[in-house]
Amino acid sequence: MQPGTGAPARSRQPRHAGVGILPLVVLRSFERRLERLVEGVFARAFRSGLRPVELGRRLVREMDDHRTVGVNGQTLVPNDYVIRLGPEDAENFADIQDALSAELGDAVRDHAREDGYAFMGPVRIRFETDELRRPGTFDVVAKLRQGEGGVGAGSVVLPDGRRLTLGDAVVRIGRLPECGIQLADTNVSRHHAEIRPANDGFLLVDMGSTNGTKVNGVRVDRRVLRDADEVTVGTTRLIFNAS
């Protein structure tokens, strides 16, 4: 039985050895991306011996340990994480905290996608300082937290790699300055499309654009977005993540 749900635990074959261990390829990619982002700062931050891979493994273990079954049968996992570091480690990580949070978030999303997990709201990873904690040790508090306005989890990866978290407001896509996703693409209409919150997901709506809107290569007028959908407006590609 799944703890606290009254429902049987989902039987699944692990795709990697051990519970809470990220696939090796994910870990290597994780470290390489972070090294490129912070270069010399990366090496300096780990004088205490505490490395990002340890944080990534712990987050994944927290996901697996706290999974539960939602009312619609989905396996829900925490999306809100607080990593508590000692003062020395917190100071060493200070310069790369934003980059590290983004990379850990990607690792969490990758694991959830691989194992078919779902989130109640956007993935959020924060760092806090525990004045009594020794160097090289850390703690993680993981919670299931609903998205803003009660909508489900959703984000859009922009062409430059930035991630826009979706909430209960409509997001316009187009060339106009007031668009939430403003694109300097001459093939994109001024007000090309919108992403609207709908029930526990998000709906993509073409606004009568000149060149149309595609999802995974297929032209659409309206489409409920699913995880990893590729949205094409003009010559620009956006990736929707259900997290």
Side-chain angles (χ1 to χ4, degrees):
M1 299 290 285
Q2 187 70 19
T5 66
R10 186 168 65 122
S11 175
R12 60 187 177 92
Q13 294 297 320
R15 297 177 186 165
H16 43 80
V19 175
I21 303 299
L22 279 168
L24 184 60
V25 65
V26 174
L27 290 178
R28 286 175 175 168
S29 174
F30 168 77
E31 285 200 307
R32 283 199 302 268
R33 290 201 306 266
L34 196 58
E35 283 173 346
R36 286 197 297 269
L37 281 171
V38 298
E39 297 178 343
V41 178
F42 183 92
R44 180 173 62 80
F46 307 122
R47 290 173 299 183
S48 67
L50 182 60
R51 298 185 61 82
V53 170
E54 299 173 54
L55 304 180
R57 288 189 176 121
R58 177 64 180 276
L59 291 180
V60 168
R61 189 168 77 238
E62 293 292 327
M63 290 177 68
D64 289 334
D65 288 349
H66 292 88
R67 66 184 187 270
T68 187
V69 179
V71 293
N72 59 0
Q74 286 183 307
T75 302
L76 298 174
V77 290
N79 57 295
D80 188 271
Y81 299 87
V82 176
I83 300 173
R84 293 175 175 165
L85 305 172
E88 182 178 320
D89 290 323
E91 181 179 355
N92 289 338
F93 277 92
D95 290 341
I96 62 168
Q97 203 170 102
D98 291 343
L100 182 56
S101 293
E103 291 298 325
L104 288 171
D106 285 342
V108 165
R109 293 182 188 93
D110 287 344
H111 182 67
R113 187 174 298 113
E114 179 184 331
D115 279 19
Y117 293 155
F119 300 109
M120 292 182 66
V123 172
R124 185 182 183 196
I125 296 172
R126 294 166 289 152
F127 290 88
E128 291 183 356
T129 301
D130 180 351
E131 298 295 339
L132 300 179
R133 186 164 292 280
R134 299 192 310 275
T137 68
F138 66 96
D139 189 27
V140 174
V141 178
K143 295 181 180 180
L144 286 86
R145 195 177 297 276
Q146 197 169 36
E148 185 178 326
V151 299
S155 61
V156 176
V157 180
L158 305 177
D160 61 4
R162 289 179 299 135
R163 183 181 297 273
L164 174 68
T165 300
L166 303 174
D168 59 352
V170 173
V171 175
R172 289 184 174 184
I173 303 171
R175 298 201 322 271
L176 292 174
E178 57 264 32
C179 289
I181 300 178
Q182 184 187 11
L183 302 172
D185 181 343
T186 57
N187 293 292
V188 171
S189 298
R190 291 184 300 169
H191 182 191
H192 195 106
E194 292 182 349
I195 300 177
R196 303 172 181 173
N199 299 322
D200 59 350
F202 294 90
L203 179 69
L204 175 70
V205 180
D206 182 84
M207 301 304 293
S209 64
T210 302
N211 294 313
T213 301
K214 295 180 180 179
V215 175
N216 302 326
V218 178
R219 187 160 178 164
V220 300
D221 293 322
R222 301 167 70 90
R223 168 75 175 265
V224 174
L225 292 171
R226 301 188 183 280
D227 188 50
D229 274 349
E230 181 181 276
V231 177
T232 304
V233 291
T235 59
T236 302
R237 293 186 299 176
L238 309 168
I239 303 298
F240 173 79
N241 287 157
S243 62

